[in-house]
Amino acid sequence: MALSVDSSWPRWQWRIRDGLLQSPSEATPLLSQEKGRQSYNLMRQRVVFPNNSICHRDWAKISRRYPGNRICTTKYTLLTFLPQNLFEQFHRWANLYFLFLVILNWIPSMEVFHREITMLPLAIVLFTIMVKDGMEDFRKHRFDREINCSNIQIYERKEQSYVQKCWKDVRVGDFIQMQCNEIIPADILLLFSSDPSGICHLETANLDGETNLKQRRVVKGFSQQDVQFEPECFCNTIVCEKPNNHLNKFKGYMEHPDQTRTGFSSESLLLRGCTIRNTEVAVGIVIYAGHETKAMLNNSGPRYKRSKIERRMNTDIFFCIGLLFFMCLIGAIGHSLWNGTFEEHPPFDVPDAEGSFLPLALGGFYMFLTMIILLQVLIPISLYVSIELVKLGQVFFLHNDLDLYDEESDLSIQCRALNITEDLGQIQYIFSDKTGTLTENKMVFRRCTIMGSEYSHQENAKRLETPKELDSDSEEWTQQQFLSFPARWSQGLATRRSQGGAHPLRRCQSARLPIQGHCRQRSVGRCDSSPPPVAFSSSIEKDVTPDKNLLTKVQDAALWLENLSDTRPAEPSLSAASSIADFFLALTICNSVVVSTTTEPRQRVISEENFQRWAGFWREAEASLENRDELLMQTAQHLENQLTLLGATGIEDRLQEGVPDTISALREAGIQLWVLTGDKQETAVNIAYSCRLLDQTGTVYSINTENQETCESTLNSALEEVKQFHGPQKPDHKLFGFHLPFKTTPPASGAAAPEVGLVIDGKTLSAIFQGKLEKKFLELTQYCQSVLCCRSTPLQKSMIVKLVRDKLSVMTLSIGDGANDVSMIQAADIGVGISGQEGMQAVMSSDFAISRFRHLKKLLLVHGHWCYSRLARMAVYYFYKNVCYVNLLFWYQFFCGFSGSTMIDYWQMIFFNLFFTSLPPLVFGILDKDISAETLLALPELYKSGQNSECYNLLTFWISIVDAFYQSFVCFFIPYLTYKDSDIDVFTFGTPINTISLITILLHQAMEMKTWTVIHGLVLAGSFLMYFVVSLIYNATCVTCNSPTNPYWVMEGQLSDPTFYLICFLTPAAALLPRYFFLSLQGTYRKSLISKAQKIDKLPMDKRDLEIQSWKSRQRPAPVPGGAQPSHRPVTPVPEQDLGASSPGSSSPPKRERKEDRVLHGERDSRDHARGEPHSGDPSAKLSSGAHLLGPSRTTASGAYSGRQTDAHWPSSRGSHRRSQSSLTI
């Protein structure tokens, strides 16, 4: 077959004819330099000289420009820790507010409290958070030090040998020698491998989350090395691209002393963080080091995230500041009016040194500032410290939850961000990766096709089955229990041809037959001293599960092929079939293989002259730095065309345990789940059906287009159709100035609308972002239960997360397992990494790390709900507590002439917040459980209370503030009326008020607690007793500690007065009566899900289970009747394309004619297994034993994968199983 010709081939022939073979093409100006001239553009290129005796001078000169291999992921240094941490802490408005008060209190004319006393709360808060941040950063420092001090073999020029050094000592240009199972310390160009083929096997799980081994090849010209690599003999210069974060892209060339060049690509680059596998020794030269490696450039570190509650608190602090200014304004005006009532200056109004008095207006202004200092506790600065301590306690219980521990990987949950634990209870959108996150990422052989005939591996099919699950393909493949060769093969096969011809692929000892049962063994390498190409070229340690039905047949087939080689003459076509059969039969035995070489996999013949000419241009394109991909594609198109596919294999990745149940529970909880994957659409759709992401009875829209106008038309058409059977909108959200349909009214017919799913690819996403179609895209997704984005790049994943997070103002969570998910994880409000075998890149950038996707269920539904409920109610309680206490001082100003004085001792006020009322909220925030874990898992819809911020919102905040005003009013005026017209001193009047307020606040806390343990009781009682013990000791010893007024013996005197006990009993009852009445009404008549669940929790175990079952039966939606399917009609012009190939063993979709007018089609593929009614359809859509596996691409509704797994997860029988699908495809 002659080599095809296109427009660029004559140009190359012209260049060869004119003797320009060694000259570069017009697209590669980098190579157009004169012989003997060496000039490099260091701004656009990286030039690497080897660190040996020959090139040491050049290396020393150029290596100074490049950073070392030491990494540092910490935020602070010893010098920057104090100023930088204080700068970050003063981003909180409360801290700035208290700093302003400290400065204000140092002005003599405005001093209310002692200066040191005013500084104490702020200093404690800043110091506590500083210690916490320092400990977190020190933990990162220890991790960095552990990595930097890892050992590696580095070539030492002076000693002429490899010396063990630390990773931090590696420099660009150093030669590195690595052993098997060692981690690569930097980005290294591979120059030598102990494998005779020049191949090095890598495990890249730390980067991309994929556990299957990757192959890297030695740079061309270095693969034929019979002895060890000698660094002193290496005198080439390496020129490559500047450091970038593209993991799969790398280009450059190696310039030899004779000015010739050898190109290399990413297949010769060993990336930092990967692990050497199945290769004894590998040697390379460092290209990028430290923070310039591709792995480090992909990890920019997690962005600073603030929780939703903290953002809410900042808003409420502004309200508190406004309330404080209003109270201070009343104090300033009252002070001026009160002073204005005196005809002469009163004795307590002291003039200045010149004998003049302050004007009333200026005196009022000074009193305004004094009142700010007096009422400063209205802003709960201690709330921040308490929240930090509560989060530490919550994280402790998260770490010790055995349900979040994975025995297989010996890993528990990791909490890498302590400031957003409560956001786990408010998630509305989850963005998940597919491979390694939803699936096991363990590829297992299922079937193959050889020369058009298919064979399945039944043992692996059973191995992939979930418990009590049948293979969906069993209906079609039961007749293929034994391997049989096509009749045309039995006419005779030759296994060898003459030298230069094809050789059959041979198997290593690990694939030799017979294999008995389950065995774990390591292959011993090649079988012969100088072997022909083999199917298994590396040591493999896998769990081999042979198919018992295939063992005998494969063994007979192997003997049959060997016998034929002795009795039959060699025929080229049959010899090729023998090679293919031998190779694919090996695949039927093992679960996983590493293919190294093939023998004539494509039938193509070209002349030697044309091939050498093509090879010259290929080498030239490979050595180019600019337009390299285009040149390589251009050259490949000349050779790789008019090829015949000889065979293909089918592998399958099993879902992780518990994924379907987890997704189902998360959807019941009101969480929208999107899957963002780089996989092809057919695979992603099959997985989506298997894990219940797409509903079997729902409608699925698939949009694939690159054109922006077509994309817009398609979105409009889909929106118009989906609105027809979802009824009119009830907009309650705004987006870009229009309302989004978060709530929809069912159609008038009363039929339930089917669930809608959306499948979209990366090209369509590009059209959406470039065409400014985000508004329509988001509007369509609001009708969808789930969205599946296929073939999406890491950047597109991040853009989607940011789009949904910012435009819909929702809480988002991203979960992934590899470096390609890092940008998505960092963009979400909460990033979750999958740890374990998939790698650490995602974990390093995440806020939380789990080992299994199923752990997300309890993490969100239980711990997320608890964390949010505790912190939200604790924040509301702190606002109430501080407002209630501060208002006691405010009411007193009406009776002291707005002078800014207090009736409570200063130290008593400090002790009140520091000791007496600090522990109960902490215990409440760490241990309180409003609902048990069992009920939360059984009723996922309880999670919606956190999504709706029911515990902490604007309404609950103002209700608590009003309640605080009322309680403070009662706590002040009942003692005031009791002691009115008496002769008690000011501290004797203030001590009962202080005691009453403490009892009221502690009892209020007790009413908020939903869980009572011994710890709760001890803390409440201990706080009450501590108050009396400290007060008695302080009042007995404070004789002249607070001159001129001292609280000496005040508490002792009050304890001997019966009136004190009476008001301490009656006043808290009167203050808390409205709240108690409100809570009683709420528990009796409130119809919220939380209150109902709390009632269920109090029932005995058997009754509780019955109530939960009854709850679920009421919540279960009614099935969608067949007549409820929406009709279809031509709408906005859209190109038509059939997408509905049915799965094996099912009826295919009906035929439809191509219409010249382009219409939008919604395809319905309905199946009724009970009646078994045949569907008129295209017989070619049905898979058969002779069907070609890689035929025309058709999106499958369920596929072989989903049909099997989904039937197992849906308890309904096949008789009642009805499935519909709508596809909208460009």
PDB file of all heavy atoms in Angstrom, residues 404 423-427 430 666 669 671 813 830 832 855-867 936-937 943:
ATOM      1  N   LEU A 404     -15.357   6.195  60.157  1.00  0.00           N
ATOM      2  CA  LEU A 404     -14.596   6.933  59.148  1.00  0.00           C
ATOM      3  C   LEU A 404     -13.172   6.408  59.024  1.00  0.00           C
ATOM      4  O   LEU A 404     -12.319   7.073  58.436  1.00  0.00           O
ATOM      5  CB  LEU A 404     -14.568   8.430  59.483  1.00  0.00           C
ATOM      6  CG  LEU A 404     -15.933   9.111  59.589  1.00  0.00           C
ATOM      7  CD1 LEU A 404     -15.758  10.586  59.911  1.00  0.00           C
ATOM      8  CD2 LEU A 404     -16.733   8.943  58.309  1.00  0.00           C
ATOM      9  N   ASP A 423     -19.142  24.142  58.054  1.00  0.00           N
ATOM     10  CA  ASP A 423     -19.639  24.183  56.676  1.00  0.00           C
ATOM     11  C   ASP A 423     -20.004  22.798  56.160  1.00  0.00           C
ATOM     12  O   ASP A 423     -20.713  22.678  55.159  1.00  0.00           O
ATOM     13  CB  ASP A 423     -18.588  24.812  55.755  1.00  0.00           C
ATOM     14  CG  ASP A 423     -18.573  26.325  55.856  1.00  0.00           C
ATOM     15  OD1 ASP A 423     -19.519  26.874  56.451  1.00  0.00           O
ATOM     16  OD2 ASP A 423     -17.625  26.960  55.361  1.00  0.00           O
ATOM     17  N   LEU A 424     -19.516  21.756  56.818  1.00  0.00           N
ATOM     18  CA  LEU A 424     -19.898  20.397  56.423  1.00  0.00           C
ATOM     19  C   LEU A 424     -21.392  20.164  56.556  1.00  0.00           C
ATOM     20  O   LEU A 424     -21.933  19.266  55.909  1.00  0.00           O
ATOM     21  CB  LEU A 424     -19.142  19.373  57.271  1.00  0.00           C
ATOM     22  CG  LEU A 424     -17.631  19.263  57.051  1.00  0.00           C
ATOM     23  CD1 LEU A 424     -17.012  18.377  58.114  1.00  0.00           C
ATOM     24  CD2 LEU A 424     -17.329  18.723  55.663  1.00  0.00           C
ATOM     25  N   GLY A 425     -22.062  20.942  57.384  1.00  0.00           N
ATOM     26  CA  GLY A 425     -23.493  20.770  57.588  1.00  0.00           C
ATOM     27  C   GLY A 425     -24.350  21.674  56.744  1.00  0.00           C
ATOM     28  O   GLY A 425     -25.571  21.713  56.940  1.00  0.00           O
ATOM     29  N   GLN A 426     -23.762  22.390  55.782  1.00  0.00           N
ATOM     30  CA  GLN A 426     -24.534  23.337  54.965  1.00  0.00           C
ATOM     31  C   GLN A 426     -24.302  23.154  53.470  1.00  0.00           C
ATOM     32  O   GLN A 426     -24.625  24.043  52.685  1.00  0.00           O
ATOM     33  CB  GLN A 426     -24.169  24.776  55.364  1.00  0.00           C
ATOM     34  CG  GLN A 426     -24.448  25.105  56.822  1.00  0.00           C
ATOM     35  CD  GLN A 426     -24.037  26.520  57.178  1.00  0.00           C
ATOM     36  OE1 GLN A 426     -22.885  26.798  57.475  1.00  0.00           O
ATOM     37  NE2 GLN A 426     -24.997  27.433  57.131  1.00  0.00           N
ATOM     38  N   ILE A 427     -23.739  22.026  53.073  1.00  0.00           N
ATOM     39  CA  ILE A 427     -23.389  21.807  51.665  1.00  0.00           C
ATOM     40  C   ILE A 427     -24.656  21.673  50.824  1.00  0.00           C
ATOM     41  O   ILE A 427     -25.589  20.954  51.189  1.00  0.00           O
ATOM     42  CB  ILE A 427     -22.507  20.553  51.528  1.00  0.00           C
ATOM     43  CG1 ILE A 427     -21.202  20.743  52.300  1.00  0.00           C
ATOM     44  CG2 ILE A 427     -22.214  20.261  50.067  1.00  0.00           C
ATOM     45  CD1 ILE A 427     -20.379  21.920  51.856  1.00  0.00           C
ATOM     46  N   ILE A 430     -22.300  19.190  45.487  1.00  0.00           N
ATOM     47  CA  ILE A 430     -21.087  18.376  45.553  1.00  0.00           C
ATOM     48  C   ILE A 430     -20.591  18.159  44.127  1.00  0.00           C
ATOM     49  O   ILE A 430     -21.345  17.750  43.248  1.00  0.00           O
ATOM     50  CB  ILE A 430     -21.351  17.019  46.239  1.00  0.00           C
ATOM     51  CG1 ILE A 430     -21.650  17.217  47.724  1.00  0.00           C
ATOM     52  CG2 ILE A 430     -20.146  16.096  46.080  1.00  0.00           C
ATOM     53  CD1 ILE A 430     -21.920  15.927  48.471  1.00  0.00           C
ATOM     54  N   LEU A 666     -27.328  11.311  49.818  1.00  0.00           N
ATOM     55  CA  LEU A 666     -26.997  12.721  49.643  1.00  0.00           C
ATOM     56  C   LEU A 666     -28.072  13.435  48.843  1.00  0.00           C
ATOM     57  O   LEU A 666     -28.396  14.605  49.113  1.00  0.00           O
ATOM     58  CB  LEU A 666     -25.638  12.847  48.943  1.00  0.00           C
ATOM     59  CG  LEU A 666     -24.421  12.371  49.743  1.00  0.00           C
ATOM     60  CD1 LEU A 666     -23.158  12.467  48.909  1.00  0.00           C
ATOM     61  CD2 LEU A 666     -24.259  13.169  51.036  1.00  0.00           C
ATOM     62  N   ALA A 669     -30.907  14.165  50.977  1.00  0.00           N
ATOM     63  CA  ALA A 669     -30.582  15.283  51.867  1.00  0.00           C
ATOM     64  C   ALA A 669     -30.686  16.636  51.182  1.00  0.00           C
ATOM     65  O   ALA A 669     -30.403  17.665  51.803  1.00  0.00           O
ATOM     66  CB  ALA A 669     -29.174  15.102  52.436  1.00  0.00           C
ATOM     67  N   ILE A 671     -28.916  17.561  48.450  1.00  0.00           N
ATOM     68  CA  ILE A 671     -27.624  17.969  47.881  1.00  0.00           C
ATOM     69  C   ILE A 671     -27.601  17.631  46.397  1.00  0.00           C
ATOM     70  O   ILE A 671     -27.913  16.499  46.006  1.00  0.00           O
ATOM     71  CB  ILE A 671     -26.464  17.266  48.610  1.00  0.00           C
ATOM     72  CG1 ILE A 671     -26.455  17.640  50.090  1.00  0.00           C
ATOM     73  CG2 ILE A 671     -25.128  17.622  47.974  1.00  0.00           C
ATOM     74  CD1 ILE A 671     -25.414  16.912  50.901  1.00  0.00           C
ATOM     75  N   LEU A 813     -18.944  21.691  47.717  1.00  0.00           N
ATOM     76  CA  LEU A 813     -17.920  20.752  48.166  1.00  0.00           C
ATOM     77  C   LEU A 813     -17.383  20.022  46.947  1.00  0.00           C
ATOM     78  O   LEU A 813     -18.157  19.560  46.107  1.00  0.00           O
ATOM     79  CB  LEU A 813     -18.494  19.755  49.171  1.00  0.00           C
ATOM     80  CG  LEU A 813     -17.550  18.694  49.754  1.00  0.00           C
ATOM     81  CD1 LEU A 813     -17.958  18.369  51.191  1.00  0.00           C
ATOM     82  CD2 LEU A 813     -17.559  17.399  48.936  1.00  0.00           C
ATOM     83  N   ILE A 830     -15.514  23.737  50.481  1.00  0.00           N
ATOM     84  CA  ILE A 830     -14.855  22.649  51.193  1.00  0.00           C
ATOM     85  C   ILE A 830     -14.257  21.710  50.160  1.00  0.00           C
ATOM     86  O   ILE A 830     -14.939  21.297  49.220  1.00  0.00           O
ATOM     87  CB  ILE A 830     -15.836  21.888  52.102  1.00  0.00           C
ATOM     88  CG1 ILE A 830     -16.213  22.733  53.311  1.00  0.00           C
ATOM     89  CG2 ILE A 830     -15.245  20.572  52.579  1.00  0.00           C
ATOM     90  CD1 ILE A 830     -17.076  22.018  54.316  1.00  0.00           C
ATOM     91  N   VAL A 832     -12.398  18.062  49.595  1.00  0.00           N
ATOM     92  CA  VAL A 832     -12.176  16.752  50.199  1.00  0.00           C
ATOM     93  C   VAL A 832     -11.290  15.944  49.268  1.00  0.00           C
ATOM     94  O   VAL A 832     -11.580  15.835  48.066  1.00  0.00           O
ATOM     95  CB  VAL A 832     -13.505  16.014  50.452  1.00  0.00           C
ATOM     96  CG1 VAL A 832     -13.247  14.628  51.048  1.00  0.00           C
ATOM     97  CG2 VAL A 832     -14.393  16.822  51.372  1.00  0.00           C
ATOM     98  N   HIS A 855     -17.567   7.325  53.060  1.00  0.00           N
ATOM     99  CA  HIS A 855     -17.405   8.058  54.315  1.00  0.00           C
ATOM    100  C   HIS A 855     -18.017   9.447  54.234  1.00  0.00           C
ATOM    101  O   HIS A 855     -18.263  10.073  55.270  1.00  0.00           O
ATOM    102  CB  HIS A 855     -15.927   8.171  54.668  1.00  0.00           C
ATOM    103  CG  HIS A 855     -15.304   6.848  55.006  1.00  0.00           C
ATOM    104  ND1 HIS A 855     -13.932   6.654  55.030  1.00  0.00           N
ATOM    105  CD2 HIS A 855     -15.851   5.646  55.313  1.00  0.00           C
ATOM    106  CE1 HIS A 855     -13.671   5.400  55.336  1.00  0.00           C
ATOM    107  NE2 HIS A 855     -14.817   4.777  55.519  1.00  0.00           N
ATOM    108  N   LEU A 856     -18.261   9.915  53.017  1.00  0.00           N
ATOM    109  CA  LEU A 856     -18.853  11.242  52.858  1.00  0.00           C
ATOM    110  C   LEU A 856     -20.264  11.286  53.437  1.00  0.00           C
ATOM    111  O   LEU A 856     -20.725  12.352  53.872  1.00  0.00           O
ATOM    112  CB  LEU A 856     -18.884  11.611  51.365  1.00  0.00           C
ATOM    113  CG  LEU A 856     -19.001  13.088  51.002  1.00  0.00           C
ATOM    114  CD1 LEU A 856     -17.801  13.846  51.519  1.00  0.00           C
ATOM    115  CD2 LEU A 856     -19.116  13.248  49.497  1.00  0.00           C
ATOM    116  N   LYS A 857     -20.930  10.150  53.461  1.00  0.00           N
ATOM    117  CA  LYS A 857     -22.304  10.100  53.970  1.00  0.00           C
ATOM    118  C   LYS A 857     -22.356  10.485  55.438  1.00  0.00           C
ATOM    119  O   LYS A 857     -23.091  11.399  55.831  1.00  0.00           O
ATOM    120  CB  LYS A 857     -22.877   8.692  53.753  1.00  0.00           C
ATOM    121  CG  LYS A 857     -24.297   8.517  54.252  1.00  0.00           C
ATOM    122  CD  LYS A 857     -24.786   7.100  53.974  1.00  0.00           C
ATOM    123  CE  LYS A 857     -26.190   6.882  54.494  1.00  0.00           C
ATOM    124  NZ  LYS A 857     -26.674   5.504  54.237  1.00  0.00           N
ATOM    125  N   LYS A 858     -21.583   9.814  56.268  1.00  0.00           N
ATOM    126  CA  LYS A 858     -21.606  10.146  57.692  1.00  0.00           C
ATOM    127  C   LYS A 858     -20.902  11.469  57.969  1.00  0.00           C
ATOM    128  O   LYS A 858     -21.292  12.206  58.880  1.00  0.00           O
ATOM    129  CB  LYS A 858     -20.950   9.029  58.505  1.00  0.00           C
ATOM    130  CG  LYS A 858     -21.119   9.238  60.007  1.00  0.00           C
ATOM    131  CD  LYS A 858     -20.655   8.060  60.838  1.00  0.00           C
ATOM    132  CE  LYS A 858     -20.973   8.285  62.313  1.00  0.00           C
ATOM    133  NZ  LYS A 858     -20.507   7.174  63.177  1.00  0.00           N
ATOM    134  N   LEU A 859     -19.886  11.783  57.199  1.00  0.00           N
ATOM    135  CA  LEU A 859     -19.169  13.039  57.411  1.00  0.00           C
ATOM    136  C   LEU A 859     -20.102  14.227  57.277  1.00  0.00           C
ATOM    137  O   LEU A 859     -20.038  15.182  58.066  1.00  0.00           O
ATOM    138  CB  LEU A 859     -18.011  13.150  56.418  1.00  0.00           C
ATOM    139  CG  LEU A 859     -17.177  14.434  56.485  1.00  0.00           C
ATOM    140  CD1 LEU A 859     -16.475  14.553  57.829  1.00  0.00           C
ATOM    141  CD2 LEU A 859     -16.161  14.474  55.349  1.00  0.00           C
ATOM    142  N   LEU A 860     -20.996  14.193  56.282  1.00  0.00           N
ATOM    143  CA  LEU A 860     -21.907  15.309  56.059  1.00  0.00           C
ATOM    144  C   LEU A 860     -23.182  15.177  56.872  1.00  0.00           C
ATOM    145  O   LEU A 860     -23.573  16.101  57.598  1.00  0.00           O
ATOM    146  CB  LEU A 860     -22.247  15.409  54.564  1.00  0.00           C
ATOM    147  CG  LEU A 860     -21.099  15.724  53.615  1.00  0.00           C
ATOM    148  CD1 LEU A 860     -21.621  15.870  52.197  1.00  0.00           C
ATOM    149  CD2 LEU A 860     -20.356  16.974  54.025  1.00  0.00           C
ATOM    150  N   LEU A 861     -23.850  14.039  56.753  1.00  0.00           N
ATOM    151  CA  LEU A 861     -25.176  13.908  57.348  1.00  0.00           C
ATOM    152  C   LEU A 861     -25.128  13.880  58.868  1.00  0.00           C
ATOM    153  O   LEU A 861     -26.086  14.309  59.521  1.00  0.00           O
ATOM    154  CB  LEU A 861     -25.855  12.634  56.831  1.00  0.00           C
ATOM    155  CG  LEU A 861     -26.032  12.532  55.310  1.00  0.00           C
ATOM    156  CD1 LEU A 861     -26.866  11.305  54.960  1.00  0.00           C
ATOM    157  CD2 LEU A 861     -26.683  13.790  54.758  1.00  0.00           C
ATOM    158  N   VAL A 862     -24.071  13.362  59.459  1.00  0.00           N
ATOM    159  CA  VAL A 862     -23.991  13.262  60.919  1.00  0.00           C
ATOM    160  C   VAL A 862     -23.065  14.341  61.484  1.00  0.00           C
ATOM    161  O   VAL A 862     -23.503  15.267  62.167  1.00  0.00           O
ATOM    162  CB  VAL A 862     -23.521  11.854  61.346  1.00  0.00           C
ATOM    163  CG1 VAL A 862     -23.385  11.786  62.857  1.00  0.00           C
ATOM    164  CG2 VAL A 862     -24.507  10.802  60.855  1.00  0.00           C
ATOM    165  N   HIS A 863     -21.780  14.229  61.183  1.00  0.00           N
ATOM    166  CA  HIS A 863     -20.827  15.185  61.757  1.00  0.00           C
ATOM    167  C   HIS A 863     -21.060  16.591  61.225  1.00  0.00           C
ATOM    168  O   HIS A 863     -20.900  17.575  61.968  1.00  0.00           O
ATOM    169  CB  HIS A 863     -19.405  14.731  61.465  1.00  0.00           C
ATOM    170  CG  HIS A 863     -18.994  13.512  62.225  1.00  0.00           C
ATOM    171  ND1 HIS A 863     -18.694  13.527  63.571  1.00  0.00           N
ATOM    172  CD2 HIS A 863     -18.847  12.213  61.830  1.00  0.00           C
ATOM    173  CE1 HIS A 863     -18.379  12.315  63.977  1.00  0.00           C
ATOM    174  NE2 HIS A 863     -18.455  11.501  62.944  1.00  0.00           N
ATOM    175  N   GLY A 864     -21.409  16.704  59.962  1.00  0.00           N
ATOM    176  CA  GLY A 864     -21.699  18.023  59.415  1.00  0.00           C
ATOM    177  C   GLY A 864     -22.891  18.666  60.100  1.00  0.00           C
ATOM    178  O   GLY A 864     -22.856  19.853  60.456  1.00  0.00           O
ATOM    179  N   HIS A 865     -23.947  17.883  60.292  1.00  0.00           N
ATOM    180  CA  HIS A 865     -25.129  18.423  60.971  1.00  0.00           C
ATOM    181  C   HIS A 865     -24.802  18.807  62.403  1.00  0.00           C
ATOM    182  O   HIS A 865     -25.200  19.884  62.874  1.00  0.00           O
ATOM    183  CB  HIS A 865     -26.243  17.372  60.948  1.00  0.00           C
ATOM    184  CG  HIS A 865     -27.442  17.754  61.746  1.00  0.00           C
ATOM    185  ND1 HIS A 865     -28.441  18.574  61.255  1.00  0.00           N
ATOM    186  CD2 HIS A 865     -27.803  17.457  63.031  1.00  0.00           C
ATOM    187  CE1 HIS A 865     -29.361  18.754  62.188  1.00  0.00           C
ATOM    188  NE2 HIS A 865     -28.999  18.091  63.274  1.00  0.00           N
ATOM    189  N   TRP A 866     -24.093  17.944  63.103  1.00  0.00           N
ATOM    190  CA  TRP A 866     -23.742  18.255  64.496  1.00  0.00           C
ATOM    191  C   TRP A 866     -22.867  19.499  64.593  1.00  0.00           C
ATOM    192  O   TRP A 866     -23.110  20.371  65.428  1.00  0.00           O
ATOM    193  CB  TRP A 866     -23.018  17.062  65.121  1.00  0.00           C
ATOM    194  CG  TRP A 866     -23.921  15.931  65.501  1.00  0.00           C
ATOM    195  CD1 TRP A 866     -25.277  15.960  65.603  1.00  0.00           C
ATOM    196  CD2 TRP A 866     -23.522  14.594  65.831  1.00  0.00           C
ATOM    197  NE1 TRP A 866     -25.754  14.726  65.967  1.00  0.00           N
ATOM    198  CE2 TRP A 866     -24.705  13.871  66.123  1.00  0.00           C
ATOM    199  CE3 TRP A 866     -22.301  13.935  65.904  1.00  0.00           C
ATOM    200  CZ2 TRP A 866     -24.689  12.533  66.482  1.00  0.00           C
ATOM    201  CZ3 TRP A 866     -22.277  12.604  66.263  1.00  0.00           C
ATOM    202  CH2 TRP A 866     -23.462  11.908  66.556  1.00  0.00           C
ATOM    203  N   CYS A 867     -21.834  19.572  63.769  1.00  0.00           N
ATOM    204  CA  CYS A 867     -20.914  20.719  63.835  1.00  0.00           C
ATOM    205  C   CYS A 867     -21.643  22.022  63.567  1.00  0.00           C
ATOM    206  O   CYS A 867     -21.438  23.029  64.272  1.00  0.00           O
ATOM    207  CB  CYS A 867     -19.763  20.530  62.848  1.00  0.00           C
ATOM    208  SG  CYS A 867     -18.599  19.224  63.289  1.00  0.00           S
ATOM    209  N   LEU A 936     -30.110  10.431  62.100  1.00  0.00           N
ATOM    210  CA  LEU A 936     -29.619  11.296  61.020  1.00  0.00           C
ATOM    211  C   LEU A 936     -29.278  10.485  59.779  1.00  0.00           C
ATOM    212  O   LEU A 936     -29.522  10.937  58.639  1.00  0.00           O
ATOM    213  CB  LEU A 936     -28.385  12.071  61.499  1.00  0.00           C
ATOM    214  CG  LEU A 936     -28.637  13.190  62.510  1.00  0.00           C
ATOM    215  CD1 LEU A 936     -27.326  13.724  63.051  1.00  0.00           C
ATOM    216  CD2 LEU A 936     -29.450  14.318  61.884  1.00  0.00           C
ATOM    217  N   LEU A 937     -28.714   9.292  59.950  1.00  0.00           N
ATOM    218  CA  LEU A 937     -28.398   8.449  58.799  1.00  0.00           C
ATOM    219  C   LEU A 937     -29.653   7.843  58.191  1.00  0.00           C
ATOM    220  O   LEU A 937     -29.743   7.665  56.966  1.00  0.00           O
ATOM    221  CB  LEU A 937     -27.433   7.335  59.225  1.00  0.00           C
ATOM    222  CG  LEU A 937     -26.006   7.767  59.559  1.00  0.00           C
ATOM    223  CD1 LEU A 937     -25.200   6.596  60.082  1.00  0.00           C
ATOM    224  CD2 LEU A 937     -25.317   8.367  58.330  1.00  0.00           C
ATOM    225  N   TYR A 943     -30.869  16.810  57.038  1.00  0.00           N
ATOM    226  CA  TYR A 943     -29.708  17.642  56.712  1.00  0.00           C
ATOM    227  C   TYR A 943     -30.122  19.005  56.155  1.00  0.00           C
ATOM    228  O   TYR A 943     -29.335  19.960  56.203  1.00  0.00           O
ATOM    229  CB  TYR A 943     -28.839  16.901  55.695  1.00  0.00           C
ATOM    230  CG  TYR A 943     -27.541  17.577  55.348  1.00  0.00           C
ATOM    231  CD1 TYR A 943     -26.429  17.475  56.178  1.00  0.00           C
ATOM    232  CD2 TYR A 943     -27.407  18.316  54.176  1.00  0.00           C
ATOM    233  CE1 TYR A 943     -25.237  18.084  55.859  1.00  0.00           C
ATOM    234  CE2 TYR A 943     -26.209  18.928  53.838  1.00  0.00           C
ATOM    235  CZ  TYR A 943     -25.127  18.813  54.682  1.00  0.00           C
ATOM    236  OH  TYR A 943     -23.950  19.422  54.366  1.00  0.00           O
TER     237      TYR A 943
END
